[in-house]
Amino acid sequence: MNRFWKWTAGIFGVLLMAVFAVLSYMAGSPRDAYGMVRYALPHMHRGTLRVGSDAPDARIVALDGVTRFHIRERTQQRPLVLVFGSFT
Amino acid sequence: MGDVVQIYEDYKDHADFLTVYVREAHPTDEWQMKSNVKDDVCYAQPKTFEQRVAIANDFTKRYKFPLPFGIDEMSNAANDAYAAWPERLYIIDESGRIAYRGGMGPFHYTPAEVREWLAARYGAVKHETPKSPAGVAPASASGAAAPAPAATSAPVAPAK
């Protein structure tokens, strides 16, 4: 039994290393592979919005850092293209 | 962002646009990319709203970003509601419903799909590709970036 678990752990470890190696290759480096797992993976498959869903509202602040408005205020007369992103 | 800016220029008379700045994707204190260092885009993840506003202003000034711009609050309410991080595109129609939901960026961030949606409704905007001189292969054939197309001012197909 002890031998069985040793083999199981060994195979699992090798598989884990193989997956990390493939991820590193895909992401560009081991550091990026770690980043992908640590930061991107939790965000995948997030959100329940679908085409046809009511668009949620949220309060947004203008570039002056003071003026506030709601997304919904911009959706009354024409389609609204929403572009989410950051600098980096 | 270049594709989005071009779409904005092509369809701003038909649709509204809003860019929402959400939490940083590759800050120096989390998952910084080599390309950020190369492009001199090095910011820590904002801890205060003032820092977030400052970075958003740096972005719009550096790229002379023409789209209407807003900033998600520190509660990340917009980000959470739209599963927006790191980048994502949506179209909301006049009735307030999601008409298009893009995939999670960067791999599934496809401005071309937004253009298709707008083109289906308002007509495609024709972009003229400058002609190559005789005997010279197109830039894309050699692996170089294609030259920026010039847009005509009017859609080529009638609006629905």
Side-chain angles (χ1 to χ4, degrees):
Chain A
M1 195 64 169
N2 198 17
R3 194 175 169 187
F4 169 79
W5 285 114
K6 275 184 186 170
W7 272 98
T8 304
I11 290 168
F12 184 73
V14 168
L15 279 176
L16 210 60
M17 282 194 290
V19 167
F20 191 73
V22 169
L23 259 181
S24 298
Y25 176 75
M26 287 169 63
S29 73
R31 188 173 182 278
D32 290 330
Y34 170 76
M36 191 181 279
V37 173
R38 167 76 175 78
Y39 296 105
L41 209 58
H43 289 269
M44 288 177 185
H45 309 297
R46 255 191 191 175
T48 55
L49 292 179
R50 297 286 177 268
V51 170
S53 302
D54 283 330
D57 195 19
R59 195 167 63 171
I60 303 295
V61 186
L63 276 170
D64 63 9
V66 178
T67 309
R68 284 168 163 75
F69 61 91
H70 287 260
I71 290 175
R72 193 156 287 171
E73 293 168 19
R74 307 281 177 110
T75 62
Q76 289 159 5
Q77 306 207 332
R78 311 195 299 178
L80 174 67
V81 178
L82 269 177
V83 182
F84 291 99
S86 69
F87 200 166
T88 59
Chain B
M1 280 291 179
D3 291 347
V4 169
V5 171
Q6 188 63 62
I7 292 169
Y8 169 71
E9 296 295 344
D10 291 344
Y11 289 100
K12 63 185 177 187
D13 292 337
H14 299 288
D16 291 314
F17 289 73
L18 176 63
T19 302
V20 180
Y21 172 86
V22 296
R23 56 180 285 117
E24 284 298 333
H26 298 288
T28 53
D29 52 346
E30 291 177 8
W31 178 18
Q32 189 181 31
M33 306 288 278
K34 285 178 185 170
S35 58
N36 296 140
V37 178
K38 185 182 161 197
D39 298 339
D40 191 24
V41 182
C42 302
Y43 294 96
Q45 190 67 265
K47 302 291 188 292
T48 66
F49 188 67
E50 288 71 26
Q51 292 170 347
R52 198 173 266 196
V53 172
I55 296 174
N57 275 281
D58 282 356
F59 171 79
T60 55
K61 284 173 188 162
R62 179 163 172 176
Y63 294 108
K64 296 181 174 59
F65 196 69
L67 275 72
F69 207 94
I71 303 164
D72 194 11
E73 294 186 324
M74 291 305 282
S75 64
N76 298 312
N79 183 24
D80 292 345
Y82 285 88
W85 187 95
E87 54 187 352
R88 198 185 281 268
L89 295 162
Y90 285 90
I91 299 174
I92 302 173
D93 67 18
E94 300 90 328
S95 65
R97 293 180 187 277
I98 303 291
Y100 166 80
R101 177 187 189 257
M104 178 183 170
F107 301 114
H108 301 289
Y109 180 87
T110 44
E113 292 177 354
V114 170
R115 178 177 286 283
E116 280 173 24
W117 191 94
L118 292 166
R121 189 181 251 220
Y122 302 112
V125 175
K126 185 181 177 185
H127 288 268
E128 294 169 357
T129 306
K131 289 177 184 173
S132 302
V136 177
S140 57
S142 63
T152 57
S153 58
V156 294
K160 287 181 182 176

